[in-house]
Amino acid sequence: MSSLVAAYSVIFGAIFIFTWLLFARQKRLEKKLDELRELVKDASRPRP
Amino acid sequence: MTSRVLGIASLVLMVFALYMALIYAPQEAQQGTPYRIIYFHVPMGILSFVSAYLLGFAGIMFLIKRDLKWDRLAIGAAELGVLCTACSLITGSIWAKPIWGVWWAWDARITLQLLLGLFFIAYFMLRAYLPDREKRAKLAAVFGVLGMIDVPFNYYSIEWWATQHPQPVLRGGGSIDPDMRLALYVSALALTVTCAYLLTRRLAIARVEEEVEYLEHLVHAHE
């Protein structure tokens, strides 16, 4: 019984961690993308 | 939209697969409870082969078309490959301890599966050492194609060589109870849909990564 619980925990734990890492990476990248878009917008504005 | 549908479908199928594996499928006379590990171990092994072929296919398509979308698919396939290979090896090891009395045996199937896992890791190491985007995609594509070589040897290893690993349960003479077979198909479907969902999420992230890389390049060029 304990081996079954251990094996299923590995499978579902691994899928959960993989999914969580994907969402965390997406959130981080979207934040960075917004920052970079702001920087590009500022840089493309005509300077006085 | 596709991603959302796949996400919901994978959740529903996973619950159903757990019911089939833990309640619906009959008990195995010799092994007892640990045999139920196969309902997720076998599909994970098959999906690791699918990942290797997907990686190789994406590599070939990139070499022909030179379109970076194939490189993005290759990255997603390789990441899933790491996940599926690791899960199949670890759950196999957990199953082996009560059945064989050992955690690990250096037989052909298990060693080739370990090699497949190391191949996926080597793929990411190769990518990490190549800073140029185009060159990285080209060399990674060539390397990715090589991974497909492991799969047929791995798949037929239990027939070609004397191994400790059990013989195939799904092909070769109906050696499995129909209810067990159905439970195995359901869990395989659930894990396939889950992997498809994870792949669509990963592809979306890869597109954002490229946009970030492009904008960073633009900002640095402006400074």
Side-chain angles (χ1 to χ4, degrees):
Chain A
M1 187 66 183
S2 59
S3 58
L4 184 71
V5 173
Y8 278 44
S9 302
V10 166
I11 297 273
F12 287 95
I15 291 171
F16 176 77
I17 291 169
F18 192 89
T19 312
W20 182 74
L21 286 174
L22 280 182
F23 276 94
R25 197 192 300 183
Q26 185 165 11
K27 205 172 169 185
R28 198 181 63 237
L29 278 168
E30 277 169 1
K31 195 178 165 194
K32 198 171 182 182
L33 189 64
D34 287 341
E35 286 169 9
L36 283 166
R37 276 182 181 147
E38 280 298 313
L39 274 174
V40 171
K41 206 191 274 179
D42 287 346
S44 59
R45 273 193 198 123
R47 286 173 191 169
Chain B
M1 182 64 187
T2 313
S3 183
R4 190 178 289 251
V5 170
L6 284 171
I8 294 164
S10 73
L11 269 178
V12 173
L13 281 167
M14 273 296 186
V15 174
F16 187 46
L18 276 173
Y19 163 76
M20 294 294 281
L22 297 174
I23 299 164
Y24 177 82
Q27 187 78 320
E28 210 268 345
Q30 287 180 324
Q31 295 182 22
T33 311
Y35 108 89
R36 292 182 193 274
I37 292 172
I38 69 154
Y39 293 114
F40 288 90
H41 166 76
V42 173
M44 276 299 191
I46 294 168
L47 284 167
S48 68
F49 297 166
V50 173
S51 301
Y53 270 115
L54 197 58
L55 171 59
F57 170 73
I60 291 168
M61 289 309 288
F62 176 78
L63 292 172
I64 295 168
K65 305 266 185 189
R66 301 285 163 158
D67 186 338
L68 284 172
K69 78 175 179 188
W70 295 110
D71 188 52
R72 293 197 290 265
L73 178 64
I75 297 168
E79 284 187 4
L80 281 177
V82 173
L83 175 77
C84 296
T85 313
C87 282
S88 71
L89 283 171
I90 296 168
T91 54
S93 194
I94 293 169
W95 171 87
K97 182 61 181 166
I99 305 300
W100 293 347
V102 289
W103 292 102
W104 187 266
W106 288 103
D107 80 352
R109 164 55 67 85
I110 304 165
T111 308
L112 283 168
Q113 187 67 1
L114 178 65
L115 276 178
L116 187 64
L118 292 174
F119 162 78
F120 287 126
I121 293 167
Y123 176 83
F124 286 109
M125 288 171 74
L126 176 74
R127 292 191 74 95
Y129 280 106
L130 297 166
D132 181 68
R133 182 74 183 90
E134 288 287 331
K135 199 175 174 183
R136 182 170 64 209
K138 198 162 80 179
L139 280 174
V142 174
F143 187 74
V145 173
L146 296 176
M148 292 197 292
I149 297 169
D150 177 276
V151 176
F153 288 99
N154 197 338
Y155 186 72
Y156 288 108
S157 60
I158 47 178
E159 292 172 28
W160 292 347
W161 296 290
T163 66
Q164 203 166 340
H165 192 278
Q167 289 301 300
V169 290
L170 285 177
R171 62 192 160 86
S175 56
I176 186 171
D177 181 276
D179 288 342
M180 290 178 179
R181 183 184 290 267
L182 182 64
L184 197 50
Y185 284 150
V186 170
S187 58
L189 179 68
L191 282 174
T192 306
V193 172
T194 304
C195 283
Y197 167 70
L198 293 173
L199 187 62
T200 56
R201 301 291 322 180
R202 184 62 187 90
L203 290 175
I205 289 172
R207 280 192 291 272
V208 180
E209 275 174 344
E210 280 193 359
E211 202 174 340
V212 166
E213 207 171 313
Y214 169 74
L215 286 176
E216 274 179 341
H217 183 73
L218 213 66
V219 168
H220 287 308
H222 223 278
E223 281 171 356

